[in-house]
Amino acid sequence: MKTKKMLVLVTLLVVAAFLTACAGETGAVGPEGPAGPEGPAGPAGADGAPAMAADLTCTECHNNTTIITGKKVAWEGTKHGSGFSAGYAGSRGSCAACHSGGTFRMMVAEGASPATYEGELSDVTHQDCRTCHMVHETYTGDDWALVTTADVGLFAFEGVTYEGGEGNLCGTCHQPRRTIAEADADGMIEVTSTHWGPHHGPQTAVLMGFGGAGEVEGAPSGHYSLVEDTCVSCHLGEGDDHSFYPSVASCQECHADIEDFDFSGLVTEVDTMLEELHVKLEAADMYHDGHPVVGVYEAAKAQAMWNYILLAPEDASSGIHNPAYTKALIEWSLAQFE
């Protein structure tokens, strides 16, 4: 029995060796078969560590400091932040680019100006953080960057550009919309409406020595040519006060001995002269209840009223923006009623 088994095993080995020797080259790999059934789920992993607040870039702004809330409280007390400006003209087609914060951002994105913007109007919003800052663009402190600091062409004055650094953001809207009309053949100027004048916010022009009427030459003031970021440097100061009310500390950067805004009696002098001009305009029945009276007037007197509107209710700096130009305009205007 053992001999037979041995013979069978030897025979099988001989056959296997023969078959191996006679085999051809390996053929090509066949197509992949269908996927097998899904295996069982593995065991649950260990709990991950929670993200630490300090690791989140959002906390550069959203944290337990007053970096946002302090600015918000001050801002809400301004005409921009209270909604006054938006409520006054935020939904008017020709006004919305400046009076509605959302539309302002759309205008800036298109590279337009308040005079050229013809895009759609956003829902009316007051000017808020997003109006001026790149909020939630990077989710870091870089979101405090201003939406524009490009130089501003004053569209009422061909070829005049306001170069005010970060103050260019303000200058986008704070500029005159009109210049005074020329006198007609009879030497008269027509006051066409109770809103006649350079329009609101002519601060850029006044700083540069433009915008007034009559035989007065102007020049840029030191607050334009010597202050790096113009509006921003004076109206926010080192503390980023978003009430935009200038501080004496900001003035002391250049005027070390100043104790209040009435530097060398400038504010008192200008306000007194403006009130005198106001009285003369009312006595001439040209200006009442904060508005010009519609009518046709001698050119010089109409120009004097234009200067009053430019400086008193609109620029409203009591001469601080441009002392020399302001005083020259008022003095010339007063002389027209002598």
Side-chain angles (χ1 to χ4, degrees):
M1 181 66 72
K2 290 181 179 180
T3 303
K4 287 182 179 181
K5 289 182 177 179
M6 182 62 70
L7 290 172
V8 170
L9 177 60
V10 170
T11 301
L12 290 173
L13 291 171
V14 171
V15 171
F18 175 79
L19 292 174
T20 300
C22 295
E25 296 180 0
T26 302
V29 178
E32 184 178 354
E38 184 177 354
D47 291 339
M52 300 300 292
D55 297 328
L56 302 176
T57 58
C58 304
T59 60
E60 291 185 32
C61 300
H62 298 279
N63 50 48
N64 62 355
T65 72
T66 60
I67 191 171
I68 292 178
T69 55
K71 295 176 176 63
K72 181 175 180 289
V73 169
W75 178 253
E76 288 175 345
T78 68
K79 288 184 178 180
H80 293 88
S82 68
F84 174 85
S85 296
Y88 177 67
S91 60
R92 301 180 196 172
S94 61
C95 307
C98 284
H99 283 265
S100 172
T103 307
F104 178 85
R105 282 296 300 268
M106 293 168 64
M107 174 189 69
V108 170
E110 291 188 11
S113 75
T116 62
Y117 180 73
E118 296 180 351
E120 296 182 1
L121 305 183
S122 71
D123 292 336
V124 176
T125 63
H126 64 78
Q127 290 88 351
D128 57 17
C129 304
R130 291 176 183 270
T131 304
C132 298
H133 297 283
M134 304 293 288
V135 175
H136 292 166
E137 296 286 332
T138 67
Y139 295 92
T140 71
D142 290 342
D143 287 345
W144 292 118
L146 301 179
V147 298
T148 180
T149 57
D151 292 343
V152 180
L154 301 190
F155 47 79
F157 307 94
E158 185 176 356
V160 177
T161 301
Y162 184 78
E163 300 174 7
E166 290 188 351
N168 288 336
L169 172 68
C170 313
T172 302
C173 286
H174 285 266
Q175 57 174 299
R177 305 303 173 90
R178 302 181 282 265
T179 58
I180 191 168
E182 295 289 338
D184 63 20
D186 297 321
M188 308 294 282
I189 291 178
E190 181 180 7
V191 174
T192 55
S193 79
T194 56
H195 292 280
W196 181 84
H199 192 68
H200 310 305
Q203 288 83 6
T204 49
V206 172
L207 281 162
M208 296 181 71
F210 285 92
E215 300 171 5
V216 180
E217 292 292 330
S221 74
H223 290 145
Y224 172 70
S225 58
L226 300 179
V227 178
E228 182 177 3
D229 287 313
T230 56
C231 319
V232 170
S233 294
C234 295
H235 285 269
L236 271 79
E238 294 182 358
D240 286 341
D241 180 2
H242 277 61
S243 72
F244 284 177
Y245 192 78
S247 68
V248 173
S250 297
C251 302
Q252 289 171 339
E253 292 293 318
C254 298
H255 307 283
D257 298 330
I258 196 171
E259 296 181 354
D260 54 42
F261 296 125
D262 197 9
F263 184 50
S264 299
L266 171 70
V267 170
T268 297
E269 181 182 8
V270 167
D271 285 348
T272 299
M273 294 169 68
L274 282 173
E275 179 56 29
E276 184 180 353
L277 181 56
H278 183 195
V279 170
K280 290 183 180 297
L281 289 168
E282 286 197 331
D285 290 327
M286 297 177 65
Y287 194 87
H288 290 295
D289 300 323
H291 295 283
V293 177
V294 174
V296 179
Y297 304 101
E298 295 176 26
K301 291 184 177 179
Q303 291 165 345
M305 181 162 64
W306 178 280
N307 291 337
Y308 175 81
I309 295 169
L310 173 79
L311 298 172
E314 303 300 355
D315 175 66
S317 73
S318 296
I320 292 174
H321 286 154
N322 195 329
Y325 184 52
T326 297
K327 290 170 64 174
L329 286 174
I330 302 172
E331 289 168 354
W332 182 90
S333 300
L334 286 170
Q336 309 315 305
F337 291 91
E338 293 177 354

